[in-house]
Amino acid sequence: MVLYLLITRAGRVLTAVVAGLSTGLALMVPQATAEAVLAQSGETTAVIVTAASYESDRYFCSVRHGDGTAVAARLWRGCDASVQPGESIGMVYDPKGRIAPRGIAASGDAPNRWLQGAVLAGLLALASYAAVVRSLGRGR
């Protein structure tokens, strides 16, 4: 789409907007899909925090199951400054192992990726429409 807009001289600003929205949507789709799979077929369990650390503007918790087996993924949802080793936090995981486990965020803490994706898709459609109309107008 961006290549088409560049070739048809739709304008640099509109082309940059379409490229930015496309990139944002492309980065959001895998996360939204993973959250949808976990929401539909994920199972919830309590895990025990073994270590908590602050990295890259976020807290991460290393966790283990109640039977002592370690969870390979470190969790950031549900992990904050108040969580101490030995405490229990919630985790949702895919029993088929298709998606890495995730911590359970406090209510209202997790963004609604589907709504954000719909807004991005709508903005992308609007910007693409405007760019194509502009490119057609310049072709006369």
Side-chain angles (χ1 to χ4, degrees), residues 6-91:
L6 289 172
I7 291 170
T8 59
R9 295 179 300 166
R12 285 181 259 169
V13 173
L14 279 173
T15 303
V17 168
V18 168
L21 291 171
S22 312
T23 303
L25 191 61
L27 293 173
M28 182 175 286
V29 166
Q31 295 172 4
T33 303
E35 288 181 12
V37 169
L38 289 175
Q40 290 295 320
S41 62
E43 294 185 16
T44 305
T45 187
V47 290
I48 300 166
V49 176
T50 58
S53 61
Y54 184 76
E55 303 168 20
S56 306
D57 299 331
R58 211 178 252 177
Y59 283 93
F60 288 92
C61 288
S62 297
V63 296
R64 65 175 170 81
H65 292 285
D67 63 3
T69 58
V71 175
R74 293 188 317 155
L75 309 178
W76 60 269
R77 288 188 184 133
C79 184
D80 57 28
S82 66
V83 176
Q84 299 295 319
E87 290 184 25
S88 179
I89 62 173
M91 179 182 80

